[in-house]
């Protein structure tokens, strides 16, 4: 039963965004600098939503052991101090691609489709069962090499980007499999009924749709910029 | 303006539960063992709600620096590992007063009035502005000596309770003023308009009402047990 469930989760993740034309163009080195910059600045809106998304999952979770581990995600993104953590690393990437920090931080500059998608994900974390919230984070489990491929693509095809700005991706190569492994353990332990498991699979589909919709918005806005 | 606001917050906290007849009877050494046990076991429902309450505040908070500090509250209660932290200390108190652990953990055994009050507080943290959520934690700022008095009362009047069980209160004597000082800083920095400050004052009133209602339920259930 467990193998079947994991296979179903994997199947749900097959629409994962690495297959998206914009993502493929990025990995193939086909994006113009302003398309790369648009990806990095719009993705900031997603990155900045993560600590609150994870806190919403903790707020819904009655299991101290799960909360304790999940707390590490918030600490990972917010960092131990100002200028540290995943969000600071993403802002360093923003600097490295030549974005103006004030523009990045201005939510008015985010593409509407990106905002709608991220806001839907945040709302889901608040409103869904905490186990489904955990399951929605599993995308990284089924795309373990995406970060590595992205780093290689950035180094190879976009030499104008200072490699020091890639620290976010480099750290994710270590952190993402660890987080995803824990999330899968939690889902397998706490999603026991068919209904709970269906909700987890649907949560993963939703998350893929969110990531996909973000790239749709970018693709349509920057289609000619290759 | 700031002094006026702080004075108003202090005024709102004057109905704080140390004035409640049940609390006064506890401090005066007038409670029978089963009334003490009822306090400790019913209060567990409140203690167990705190990490999720604090996560809800973080989930609503867009300020990384505030989230970073507030995260410490969740870690404080849930502990760094199983058997550590504020909740584990409260369970040790449950043991020290002779409660059965299974009874304490059974939400069915919580007095309805206690459950309603705590659930209202949890809902408030989810639904209110995050600054009001922070303000609702300020009760401890205006009752700095309550923990000390409670420890003394327990040691003096209830010698049948193993003093090792009082670790929760002892740690709160150090932690509570620290937390309350930070919460006040946050409220003063982020509640700037009259409307925001009124919401913070009302949040503090609500919190006092929650604590008061918990003691009402205990007082009515154990009125004769003195």
């Amino acid at each position: 039963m467990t193998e079947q469930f994991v296979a179903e989760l994997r199947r749900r993740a097959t629409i994962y965004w690495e297959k998206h034309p914009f993502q493929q163009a990025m990995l193939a080195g086909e994006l113009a600098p302003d398309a790369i910059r648009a990806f990095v600045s719009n993705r900031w809106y997603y990155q900045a939503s993560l600590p609150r998304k994870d806190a919403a999952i903790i707020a819904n979770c009655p299991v101290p052991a799960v909360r304790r581990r999940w707390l590490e995600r918030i600490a990972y993104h917010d960092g131990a101090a100002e200028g540290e953590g995943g969000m600071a690393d993403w802002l360093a990437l923003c600097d490295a691609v030549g974005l103006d920090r004030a523009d990045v931080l201005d939510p008015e500059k985010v593409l509407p489709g990106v905002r709608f998608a991220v806001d839907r994900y945040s709302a889901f974390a608040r409103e869904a069962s905490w186990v489904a919230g955990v399951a929605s984070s599993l995308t990284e489990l089924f795309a373990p090499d995406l970060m590595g491929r992205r780093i290689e693509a950035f180094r190879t095809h976009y030499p104008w980007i200072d490699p020091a700005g890639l620290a976010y991706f480099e750290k994710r190569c270590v952190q993402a499999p660890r987080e995803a492994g824990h999330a899968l353990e939690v889902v397998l332990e706490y999603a026991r009924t068919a209904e709970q498991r269906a909700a987890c699979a649907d949560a993963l589909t939703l998350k893929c749709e969110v990531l996909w919709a973000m790239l749709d918005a970018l693709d349509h806005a920057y289609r000619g910029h290759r």
Side-chain angles (χ1 to χ4, degrees), chain A:
Chain A
M1 291 322 289
T2 296
E3 280 118 61
Q4 219 170 355
F5 179 39
V6 174
E8 174 64 12
L9 291 172
R10 185 179 298 275
R11 200 181 67 74
R12 297 299 187 104
T14 53
I15 72 147
Y16 189 47
W17 68 328
E18 68 172 306
K19 295 191 172 56
H20 194 284
F22 190 86
Q23 180 74 14
Q24 288 185 324
M26 186 190 296
L27 293 176
E30 295 166 8
L31 294 186
D34 66 344
I36 291 283
R37 277 193 278 270
F39 166 75
V40 172
S41 63
N42 277 277
R43 172 90 182 194
W44 164 255
Y45 188 76
Y46 172 78
Q47 298 299 136
S49 78
L50 295 177
R52 296 173 63 177
K53 181 271 292 181
D54 287 320
I57 291 171
I58 294 172
N60 289 332
C61 176
V63 186
V66 173
R67 291 198 298 256
R68 202 176 285 135
R69 278 292 295 272
W70 213 260
L71 210 62
E72 294 171 18
R73 293 180 181 238
I74 303 180
Y76 176 86
H77 285 288
D78 273 336
E82 204 66 39
E84 296 178 14
M87 278 165 52
D89 288 340
W90 196 271
L91 288 177
L93 176 61
C94 293
D95 296 341
V97 300
L99 285 160
D100 186 286
R101 189 70 69 97
D103 287 340
V104 175
L105 298 177
D106 182 357
E108 296 287 317
K109 305 239 162 135
V110 177
L111 287 168
V114 169
R115 201 168 62 232
F116 301 152
V118 173
D119 289 353
R120 177 67 189 96
Y121 186 42
S122 298
F124 179 79
R126 286 195 304 272
E127 295 157 12
S129 82
W130 68 271
V131 185
V134 167
S136 73
S137 76
L138 285 173
T139 34
E140 288 183 305
L141 186 66
F142 302 112
D145 59 337
L146 179 58
M147 285 296 154
R149 285 167 54 207
R150 196 182 279 163
I151 293 169
E152 203 192 319
F154 270 58
R155 287 190 191 274
T156 309
H157 302 303
Y158 309 102
W160 54 273
I161 301 172
D162 180 355
L166 305 180
Y168 180 86
F169 301 135
E170 284 155 3
K171 291 178 191 169
R172 285 311 291 170
C173 290
V174 179
Q175 186 68 8
R178 190 182 295 163
E179 287 183 357
H182 172 249
L184 183 62
E185 276 172 33
V186 169
V187 166
L188 294 181
E189 182 170 351
Y190 292 95
R192 293 288 190 170
T193 68
E195 195 184 5
Q196 288 167 335
R197 294 192 159 187
C200 286
D202 288 347
L204 192 44
T205 291
L206 175 77
K207 169 67 171 299
C208 292
E209 289 168 348
V210 164
L211 296 171
W212 190 270
M214 290 170 67
L215 292 181
D216 278 354
L218 283 161
D219 201 39
H220 284 274
Y222 293 88
R223 188 175 290 273
H225 303 234
R226 292 189 180 161

